Amino acid sequence: MLRWLLIGVGALTALSLGMLALGAMTPVEHQVSKTLLLDQPPEVIWELITDFESAPSWRPELEEVRKLPDQNGNEVWLEIGDFGEMPLEVTESIPNERLELKIADET
């Protein structure tokens, strides 16, 4: 019994160290993008994704979205949800084409 317990603890330790090593190799600055084809006119999708305050109605992980003071002349929104709080700055907005956000938190 003790042998199996030691093997289990050893396996969990090895897994934890592997995850730590993988995290250490991930660059601090990275980009994430998502492409999705929808059977709706661009105007409908644009209106939905740029209505930040209504996002909790269709994004189950969000509890609330609040407008924060602008930064660098750009809108900033605070998302509050399962993940905690995340301020997002709108860095590019081309209606019906492109919406670019960045995390507006240096930490």
Side-chain angles (χ1 to χ4, degrees), residues 19-70:
M19 288 176 26
L20 187 62
L22 184 61
M25 293 187 300
T26 303
V28 173
E29 293 193 25
H30 61 279
Q31 291 185 338
V32 177
S33 66
K34 179 80 174 176
T35 301
L36 179 66
L37 297 176
L38 301 170
D39 191 21
Q40 293 289 325
E43 297 81 15
V44 171
I45 303 303
W46 186 259
E47 188 175 321
L48 178 70
I49 66 172
T50 57
D51 184 1
F52 297 104
E53 291 175 308
S54 296
S57 69
W58 57 274
R59 291 181 54 198
E61 75 280 5
L62 284 182
E63 296 168 13
E64 181 183 356
V65 177
R66 283 190 225 145
K67 176 81 170 83
L68 297 178
D70 289 358

Side-chain angles (χ1 to χ4, degrees), residues 1-12:
M1 182 73 172
L2 181 60
R3 179 179 176 208
W4 289 112
L5 181 62
L6 290 175
I7 290 172
V9 169
L12 286 175

Side-chain angles (χ1 to χ4, degrees), residues 45-101:
I45 303 303
W46 186 259
E47 188 175 321
L48 178 70
I49 66 172
T50 57
D51 184 1
F52 297 104
E53 291 175 308
S54 296
S57 69
W58 57 274
R59 291 181 54 198
E61 75 280 5
L62 284 182
E63 296 168 13
E64 181 183 356
V65 177
R66 283 190 225 145
K67 176 81 170 83
L68 297 178
D70 289 358
Q71 288 182 9
N72 308 312
N74 298 322
E75 288 184 344
V76 178
W77 297 89
L78 179 65
E79 292 189 343
I80 303 167
D82 299 344
F83 49 82
E85 296 186 354
M86 183 168 45
L88 295 171
E89 178 182 351
V90 180
T91 56
E92 187 173 5
S93 179
I94 302 170
N96 304 323
E97 280 187 39
R98 180 179 174 87
L99 178 64
E100 183 177 291
L101 308 171

